Amino acid sequence: MRVRARETLGSYVVLVVFALFAIAPLAGIVGAALQTDSGAPGGLANFGEAWRVGRFGTYLRNSVLVSVFVVSVSTVLSILAGYALGTMRFRGSTVIFYVMLVGIMMPAEAIVVPLFYDLRTIGLTDTFWAVTLPQVAQSVAFGTFWMRSFFRSTNRSLIEAARLDGAGHMRILWQVLVPLARPAIITLVVLTFMWTWNEFLIPLVMAPTNEAIRTAPLGLGFFSGQYTQGFALLAAGATIIAVPVVVVYLFLQRHFIAGMLEGAVKD
């Protein structure tokens, strides 16, 4: 019992140290946002000034639209592709899966320039689609791998029983498997939302001149170029951009952790 207590105490000590290591920079940014550049208390004035001057209202709205579209489309496509690759055996399924793995391993920096010229050829640059479609493709690659692994670990007797009752593939997927996969799906949604919300390179390259579709991280980048000497305003802008991600995670953290602990990527 004493050994177990010591191990538990040691585990909590390690977790607390790593938590403090992760939280300290965030607390420093929030603290700087609540002060003036001279170090005097500034209250919430910096947030109002950053919101007004940086036009973060427009940028946050654009990020919400982009994130909702990317998360919705990529999640549905990932569920469909994951179900097909995880429960069916057909010619070419292994090749398709490995192509998806290549999509996960391929960094955006390696394809963003050729992709820009391809989209410019068909007239899609500086549009909503140029910002969202590449991110959908990136998210579907990981989402297919995630959902395939979950469906492969599902009890096959459930699928066989549903087939004996006359259920087709779509009914088996949406009425039998998707309810069971809710923690894994919510985990996928949270991860995709965080990646999409924080994406900087694709909006920068695909929409270089159209300010009307500029996302929040990109807006913060331009804002920092204007206020390199005013760290308090930069900290306030960074805090504004980070709040939606923190809110979404806190709201869905129970399901997110459940999806991780249930072994959604177990193969």
Side-chain angles (χ1 to χ4, degrees):
M1 294 296 294
R2 290 182 179 179
V3 174
R4 182 175 300 177
R6 290 175 183 175
E7 292 178 351
T8 302
L9 178 61
S11 300
Y12 279 110
V13 169
V14 172
L15 290 175
V16 169
V17 170
F18 277 98
L20 293 175
F21 183 78
I23 294 175
L26 302 178
I29 293 295
V30 175
L34 297 173
Q35 299 176 356
T36 63
D37 289 328
S38 61
L44 300 177
N46 289 330
F47 293 97
E49 183 68 10
W51 182 275
R52 182 184 63 83
V53 177
R55 300 182 59 189
F56 286 114
T58 301
Y59 299 151
L60 287 173
R61 181 196 63 195
N62 293 339
S63 285
V64 169
L65 294 176
V66 170
S67 298
V68 168
F69 180 85
V70 172
V71 170
S72 301
V73 174
S74 62
T75 299
V76 173
L77 294 178
S78 297
I79 292 173
L80 294 173
Y83 172 76
L85 296 176
T87 63
M88 303 178 188
R89 297 294 179 268
F90 54 90
R91 181 177 299 178
S93 60
T94 303
V95 175
I96 294 174
F97 175 67
Y98 283 116
V99 169
M100 292 290 183
L101 291 183
V102 172
I104 296 174
M105 296 182 289
M106 183 71 66
E109 292 81 2
I111 61 173
V112 67
V113 174
L115 184 59
F116 170 79
Y117 285 106
D118 290 339
L119 293 178
R120 190 179 67 173
T121 301
I122 59 179
L124 286 182
T125 52
D126 280 323
T127 65
F128 176 82
W129 306 111
V131 176
T132 55
L133 293 181
Q135 297 187 74
V136 169
Q138 289 181 318
S139 300
V140 167
F142 172 79
T144 300
F145 167 76
W146 184 266
M147 296 309 304
R148 171 187 178 271
S149 299
F150 178 86
F151 289 133
R152 281 176 63 90
S153 65
T154 303
N155 192 342
R156 301 290 298 182
S157 62
L158 293 175
I159 300 176
E160 297 300 331
R163 287 174 179 171
L164 290 176
D165 289 338
H169 286 296
M170 297 305 292
R171 186 177 178 184
I172 292 174
L173 173 61
W174 297 109
Q175 295 186 12
V176 178
L177 296 182
V178 166
L180 297 176
R182 186 175 64 175
I185 294 174
I186 292 178
T187 302
L188 176 61
V189 167
V190 174
L191 291 174
T192 305
F193 173 78
M194 290 192 296
W195 294 335
T196 305
W197 186 271
N198 293 324
E199 180 61 44
F200 180 84
L201 180 62
I202 290 179
L204 175 64
V205 175
M206 299 303 172
T209 61
N210 191 350
E211 187 178 356
I213 59 174
R214 185 175 294 172
T215 58
L218 187 58
L220 180 62
F222 282 92
F223 184 69
S224 64
Q226 299 173 359
Y227 293 93
T228 54
Q229 301 299 323
F231 184 72
L233 285 180
L234 289 180
T239 303
I240 291 172
I241 299 304
V243 165
V245 176
V246 175
V247 171
V248 169
Y249 176 76
L250 291 178
F251 182 72
L252 298 175
Q253 64 172 331
R254 181 169 62 88
H255 301 286
F256 178 82
I257 295 174
M260 299 295 290
L261 295 179
E262 286 184 7
V265 295
K266 179 178 62 178
D267 204 347

